Amino acid sequence: MRSTWFRPTHRRTTAAALVSALALTALAACGTSSSGDGNNASGSGGSDPSAPLDPKTRVTLTMDCMPPAAKAAELREWKEDIRTFNQKYPNVTIEGKSTPGQCEEPTRFTAALKGRSQPDVFYTYFTDLQQVLDNGGAADISAYVNEKTVPAIGSVDPGVMNVLKKDGKLYGLPTSNYTMGLMINRKLFKRAGLDPDKPPKTWAEVRTDAKAIAALGNGIAGYGDYSATNQGGWHFTAEMYGLGGDVVTPDGKKAAFNDATGKEVLTNLKAMRWDDDSMGRTQLLKWGDLQKQISTDKLGMFLAAPDDLTYMVQQLGATYADYGMGPIPGGRATLFGGNDYMIKRGSSPDKIKAAIAWVNFKTLTPGKGQFDWARSKSDALPVGLPQPNFWTGDVKATDLRSRTDNATMPVENFKPFMVDPVKGKAEPAKAQEIYKVLDNAMSGVLTNRNANVDALLSTAERQVNQVLANR
Amino acid sequence: MSAPTLSTSGKPVRSPHGDGPPPQARRAVFVRGLRRNLSAHGFLIGAVLCFAFFSWYPMVREFFLAFQKTEAGRTTWVGLDNLEYVFHDPAFWQAWRNTLLFSALALVLGFAVPFVIALVINEFRHAQGYLRLLVYLPVMLPPVASVLLFKYFYDPGYGLFNGILHFLHLPEQQWLQSTGTAMLSVVVAATWMNMGGATLIYLAALQGIPGELYEAAELDGAGLFRKIWHVTIPQTRLILSLLLLMQIISTMQVFTEPFLLTNGAGPEGSTTTVVYLIYQYAFNFNNYGGAAALGLVLLVLLAGFSALYVRLSRDSDSDSES
C-alpha cells in the first residue's frame, strides 16, 4: 500500500516546505555574522581588568593572520606556539583564520568592519585606527595592558605605542613595524661598477647611480617608483619626509607640499624619467610591480621597507644575498608604519585578557614567538632583516644580538640602513585621500615629458586643501 | 447590470467592470489556486527572499546611507552633507568628464564597429556560423585575460603595438600612459572585449529584414549605401535605438576596464570614472556616505536613460505586435 506521504498534495506541501526551508537556511547562512561575542567564557569574567588571565579560564578566540598552509614553517611555528601557550592556559582555544595573501586586504577589511564580521582578534595597519574607531570596531584595552599582562611593554618604542592610542586610550598591540629606506640590487650595482656597500644617500647620488645602472641596457631601469593606486602619493610623502618636508601643515588643515621640497622631489623624478631615461618606460606602477622588477634583475633601486625583501624571496624567488638597503635619500626623516592586533569591541573581559595573553606570547615576548630567532633559523625562515624593530634599551640590544647570531642572510648588506637609523615619521591624517590626489602629481611627471611641475603641485595643493576642508 | 460571463468550465469569471463571484467564492478560488501551486509558491518565496535580501535591501540601504554618516560607531543623519561633499570633491567633475568621454568614444567605436561587422557578416553566404563564433570569442574570454592581453599590446617597452610602429618606422606611443591616449586605449580594449554581443544582436536584426525590400530597392536602382540608408537602418531603427540606450547605460557604469588596465586612475587621473570614484570612497576612504551619495547621483541619471529604454522597448513591442 502506498504511504499517504506520497499523495500528490502532500508531495507538493513537502516540496514547498523544503524549498522554503532551504531558502531560509541559505539566507540565514549568508546573513549571519560569524563573529558575535561568543561569550562562552567562564572563570575570571568581570574581575579586575589589570589582572592577568586566570589560567583556568575557558574561552575561544578567533584570530586573524594564521599563516596559510603554503607557509609551512610559519604554520608549524604557529601551532607549536599554541601548544606551548596551552600548557599555561589549557582552556583557551585559538581558532586561527588564514588568508593567502596579505593578512589585511583593505577592501575585505573595510567590508568586514562594516559588517562587524572581523575575528575576535583582528589584524590592522597602524593607519587603520581612525577607520576602526569610526566603525566602533575595537575594544579599549588600556586597563588590560600593563607590565603584568605584557611584561615587555615598557621596552616597546613609545612612538609605536602612540600610533595605537587615541585620546589617551590604547586600542592595539604592535606585531611589527617598518621604516622606509632604499632597496638596492647588489648584482646590478656591481655590474654597473658601483659599490653596493655604499648605496646612495642623496637624490643627486640616486640619479647618478640610476643612470649608471640603466646604461647596462637590456631594459634595465636604474630607479623605479609607484604612481598608481594611491601608492604614488604614499611614496611622494616618504620622499618629502626624506628631504625634511611634509605633505600637510602641523595642524593637519592645509597642504604643505607646494614648496621647494615638493618641487625638488618631482623635478628630480621627471629628470630621471625623461632626461636620463633611467626609470624604465612602463609607469603607473603599484605595489608588487617594482618587487617583481628588482627580483628579475630589471631594476636597480626603489624605496621599500625591509619586509619587501621577505616577499621577494618567498613569493618571487629572489635571494637575500643579492639585495641590500640604504637609508632613505635625504635622510631627514622617513615614513614609518606597521601592523598590530586589535580586539573586537564588545568582547567579554576574559576574551580580551586571553587575546592579550596570546598576542603577548606570540608577538611581544623577547626570545619567544616571532622573536625566537634560533627557531626561525632552524626552520629556514629569514633572520637578519633589520625589522621588526620596535624595542628600546637592553631588550633591543639583546634582540639584535640574537638576530645577528642566528642570521640566515648577510646582515652587513643592511648596515648602511641600520648604522644611522633615520627618524620615523607617521603618515598624515586622511592619508589615502591625500595620496589619491598626489598620485596624479607622480603619474604626471612619470608619464608626461612636458609635465609642468609647478602646475601639478598647485593643482594637487588646491585639491588636498579641499579634501582637508571637507569635514 | 449584465450577467456574469461564464468560463468554459461554467464557472463565473470576474468581468473587467468589477462584477464577479461573491467574496467567499473568490476566497475559495484563491485558496484552491494557492494550494494547487504550492510548490511554485515555495520556489517563488525563495527567489523573492533572495532578491529582497541581496538586491532590494542593498538598494534601500544605499539610499539611506547617502544621507547618513558613521563616526565612532554612531550613525547620524546628515541631510545633504554627503552630496555636498561629493560635489566639492575635486575628483568629482574630472570623473564625470572622463566617464562622458568614455561613453562618447565607446559609442562611436562600440556602436558603429559591431554594426559594420554585422553588415559584413550578413553578406557572407558561407561560414557565417564560423564568423559569428570568431566575433563572439572575445566575450567568452574572462575580462582579466583580455586585459592582460591588451596590457601586453599597450606596453610602452615591449608591447605589440609599439613593436609594429617600430617596424614601420613610426614614432612609438605611450598608449595607456599618456593623458592624450589613455582613455582611447581603454575604449579600444573595452570595445574589442564586448562587441561580440552587440554584433550578434545586430546580425539577428539584419536577418529579420525581408529580402523583398532589398530587391525592390535594387529595382529602383539603389546601390549599396542607399540600400543601407533606406532599407537597413530604417528596418533596424528600434534595435539600434535600444542598443544605443543600453550602451549608454552600461558605459556610464564602466569600471572593470580602467580598473584593470590603468589601475583605475590612469595618468593624472585621466581614466578615473564615476564608478571607480565610488569604489575609492567606499574601499579606500571608508566613506560609505560619499559612495552612496555619488551612487545616487549616478542612479538618477541612469534612471532617466532607463525610463527612455523602457519606453522604447514598449514601442518596439507594440510595433512588432502590429
Side-chain angles (χ1 to χ4, degrees):
Chain A
M1 197 177 88
R2 285 173 66 183
S3 150
T4 51
W5 272 103
F6 288 96
R7 278 165 51 195
T9 41
H10 277 275
R11 206 163 52 200
R12 273 199 294 270
T13 314
T14 313
L18 193 66
V19 166
S20 306
L22 277 174
L24 287 171
T25 312
L27 273 178
C30 295
T32 305
S33 161
S34 60
S35 55
D37 190 8
N39 206 349
N40 54 353
S42 65
S44 63
S47 62
D48 174 14
S50 64
L53 179 71
D54 180 346
K56 292 183 202 138
T57 308
R58 184 174 296 280
V59 60
T60 299
L61 289 176
T62 50
M63 175 103 194
D64 248 351
C65 205
M66 179 176 78
K71 291 183 174 177
E74 284 102 323
L75 184 59
R76 192 169 59 244
E77 289 187 355
W78 172 278
K79 287 177 178 169
E80 187 183 300
D81 284 339
I82 289 179
R83 278 197 297 278
T84 312
F85 179 75
N86 280 153
Q87 285 169 7
K88 185 172 181 189
Y89 300 106
N91 298 321
V92 174
T93 306
I94 293 163
E95 290 178 358
K97 307 268 177 202
S98 65
T99 38
Q102 294 166 296
C103 288
E104 188 205 308
E105 201 272 298
T107 46
R108 185 175 52 83
F109 175 72
T110 305
L113 267 187
K114 208 74 196 169
R116 293 191 56 72
S117 62
Q118 73 270 39
D120 297 325
V121 188
F122 60 101
Y123 183 94
T124 76
Y125 299 138
F126 284 176
T127 43
D128 292 331
L129 180 61
Q130 192 55 49
Q131 180 188 359
V132 172
L133 294 180
D134 284 347
N135 286 283
D140 170 11
I141 56 172
S142 317
Y144 293 85
V145 177
N146 53 57
E147 298 221 326
K148 279 184 286 178
T149 56
V150 185
I153 195 74
S155 298
V156 179
D157 184 344
V160 169
M161 293 309 293
N162 282 340
V163 294
L164 299 169
K165 288 177 184 168
K166 177 83 181 182
D167 301 329
K169 293 175 181 170
L170 180 68
Y171 290 95
L173 288 173
T175 64
S176 65
N177 64 336
Y178 72 85
T179 54
M180 291 176 78
L182 187 72
M183 173 88 68
I184 64 160
N185 182 321
R186 292 176 62 87
K187 278 199 284 185
L188 291 181
F189 260 65
K190 283 180 202 158
R191 278 177 57 195
L194 304 167
D195 183 356
D197 294 326
K198 287 182 184 154
K201 286 184 174 176
T202 63
W203 280 107
E205 289 172 7
V206 170
R207 190 174 167 188
T208 309
D209 289 1
K211 239 194 295 193
I213 294 168
L216 293 170
N218 199 25
I220 293 171
Y223 176 80
D225 219 327
Y226 304 129
S227 49
T229 59
N230 302 5
Q231 285 144 6
W234 173 49
H235 266 203
F236 176 84
T237 303
E239 285 153 23
M240 288 292 287
Y241 286 2
L243 292 173
D246 212 335
V247 291
V248 291
T249 51
D251 62 6
K253 290 185 175 167
K254 290 275 178 194
F257 51 80
N258 188 9
D259 59 6
T261 314
K263 196 169 174 176
E264 186 182 341
V265 168
L266 292 186
T267 308
N268 190 63
L269 287 171
K270 189 181 168 201
M272 286 202 289
R273 168 67 184 94
W274 299 105
D275 300 343
D276 305 346
D277 196 18
S278 66
M279 290 187 68
R281 291 189 199 169
T282 307
Q283 299 301 328
L284 301 180
L285 302 172
K286 61 180 189 299
W287 201 94
D289 296 334
L290 294 173
Q291 287 83 345
K292 280 189 198 99
Q293 288 184 12
I294 203 168
S295 298
T296 50
D297 296 335
K298 289 288 182 194
L299 177 65
M301 301 173 271
F302 77 110
L303 284 193
D307 64 348
D308 283 29
L309 188 47
T310 311
Y311 169 78
M312 285 154 52
V313 171
Q314 293 185 340
Q315 308 285 323
L316 307 172
T319 308
Y320 284 110
D322 292 337
Y323 303 91
M325 279 194 77
I328 190 164
R332 300 278 296 276
T334 183
L335 191 142
F336 90 93
N339 318 301
D340 59 281
Y341 276 116
M342 293 184 183
I343 300 162
K344 191 173 178 177
R345 190 173 163 193
S347 297
S348 66
D350 278 344
K351 198 167 257 195
I352 295 175
K353 286 183 178 188
I356 290 169
W358 165 248
V359 173
N360 169 58
F361 178 76
K362 181 70 184 160
T363 72
L364 282 165
T365 307
K368 300 283 180 200
Q370 69 163 338
F371 294 108
D372 186 347
W373 300 116
R375 180 179 66 170
S376 296
K377 183 184 182 182
S378 66
D379 284 337
L381 288 171
V383 182
L385 288 171
Q387 289 161 355
N389 185 17
F390 48 67
W391 301 119
T392 55
D394 291 346
V395 173
K396 178 174 181 159
T398 312
D399 181 63
L400 274 179
R401 203 163 39 246
S402 169
R403 195 188 301 224
T404 310
D405 291 347
N406 292 293
T408 56
M409 64 187 79
V411 290
E412 62 273 16
N413 291 357
F414 305 103
K415 205 170 161 192
F417 178 74
M418 297 275 285
V419 74
D420 192 12
V422 178
K423 187 183 76 163
K425 186 171 174 179
E427 294 173 81
K430 291 201 171 186
Q432 294 302 326
E433 287 163 272
I434 293 170
Y435 293 165
K436 179 193 75 172
V437 173
L438 290 172
D439 259 0
N440 291 347
M442 290 290 271
S443 63
V445 290
L446 295 178
T447 62
N448 182 2
R449 179 186 289 276
N450 303 315
N452 180 334
V453 169
D454 289 328
L456 285 171
L457 283 171
S458 300
T459 307
E461 180 187 36
R462 202 174 57 248
Q463 294 182 337
V464 167
N465 282 340
Q466 215 161 331
V467 164
L468 294 171
N470 271 338
R471 289 200 278 181
Chain B
M1 197 168 109
S2 60
T5 50
L6 291 178
S7 72
T8 47
S9 61
K11 288 177 187 161
V13 176
R14 191 175 179 184
S15 83
H17 308 293
D19 291 335
Q24 270 180 328
R26 277 211 303 270
R27 211 165 24 246
V29 168
F30 175 74
V31 170
R32 212 165 30 245
L34 202 64
R35 219 178 267 158
R36 197 179 304 131
N37 298 313
L38 213 50
S39 300
H41 284 116
F43 280 104
L44 196 64
I45 286 170
V48 167
L49 283 177
C50 272
F51 263 105
F53 194 78
F54 293 111
S55 290
W56 304 327
Y57 169 71
M59 277 196 266
V60 174
R61 184 81 188 85
E62 198 235 62
F63 180 80
F64 286 113
L65 214 55
F67 305 99
Q68 291 174 338
K69 176 174 145 188
T70 305
E71 233 170 26
R74 278 192 302 277
T75 300
T76 46
W77 286 92
V78 292
L80 299 177
D81 278 9
N82 288 326
L83 278 168
E84 197 186 325
Y85 174 89
V86 163
F87 280 111
H88 282 103
D89 185 342
F92 177 81
W93 297 111
Q94 188 187 24
W96 275 107
R97 273 196 305 275
N98 291 340
T99 305
L100 292 174
L101 177 65
F102 178 90
S103 292
L105 290 172
L107 288 179
V108 172
L109 278 179
F111 190 65
V113 173
F115 188 67
V116 174
I117 292 178
L119 280 174
V120 173
I121 293 179
N122 195 39
E123 290 305 311
F124 279 87
R125 287 286 166 264
H126 303 288
Q128 231 186 50
Y130 176 68
L131 290 171
R132 277 201 301 266
L133 176 74
L134 273 188
V135 170
Y136 198 69
L137 213 53
V139 183
M140 291 192 270
L141 278 179
V144 174
S146 308
V147 164
L148 283 177
L149 194 68
F150 269 86
K151 268 201 156 175
Y152 158 67
F153 290 167
Y154 286 135
D155 189 283
Y158 307 94
L160 178 75
F161 292 156
N162 271 355
I164 294 169
L165 291 178
H166 184 74
F167 179 75
L168 298 172
H169 300 288
L170 290 170
E172 293 179 4
Q173 295 298 315
Q174 286 286 302
W175 305 115
L176 293 168
Q177 309 205 6
S178 153
T179 48
T181 52
M183 190 57 102
L184 181 66
S185 303
V186 170
V187 172
V188 169
T191 303
W192 182 84
M193 286 156 67
N194 300 310
M195 71 178 178
T199 306
L200 290 194
I201 294 173
Y202 289 140
L203 204 53
L206 291 176
Q207 291 177 348
I209 302 173
E212 306 88 74
L213 294 179
Y214 288 112
E215 285 167 21
E218 272 169 30
L219 286 175
D220 290 340
L224 175 69
F225 291 105
R226 293 191 70 162
K227 277 194 282 182
I228 291 173
W229 187 252
H230 291 291
V231 179
T232 311
I233 291 179
Q235 286 294 312
T236 52
R237 184 181 56 84
L238 269 167
I239 291 290
L240 290 177
S241 320
L242 284 175
L243 274 179
L244 183 70
L245 273 172
M246 274 171 68
Q247 286 214 29
I248 291 173
I249 292 168
S250 68
T251 53
M252 298 285 270
Q253 298 178 70
V254 65
F255 173 80
T256 312
E257 290 86 354
F259 184 71
L260 293 174
L261 282 167
T262 62
N263 295 317
E268 294 182 56
S270 57
T271 62
T272 300
T273 61
V274 173
V275 178
Y276 177 69
L277 197 58
I278 292 174
Y279 170 87
Q280 280 236 318
Y281 281 145
F283 294 110
N284 288 146
F285 312 150
N286 189 35
N287 181 357
Y288 285 88
L294 184 52
L296 206 60
V297 173
L298 185 63
L299 174 82
V300 170
L301 192 76
L302 292 185
F305 285 116
S306 301
L308 205 59
Y309 172 75
V310 169
R311 178 73 185 269
L312 271 172
S313 12
R314 205 181 296 148
D315 290 351
S316 154
D317 287 347
S318 56
D319 273 17
S320 58
E321 275 166 25
S322 63

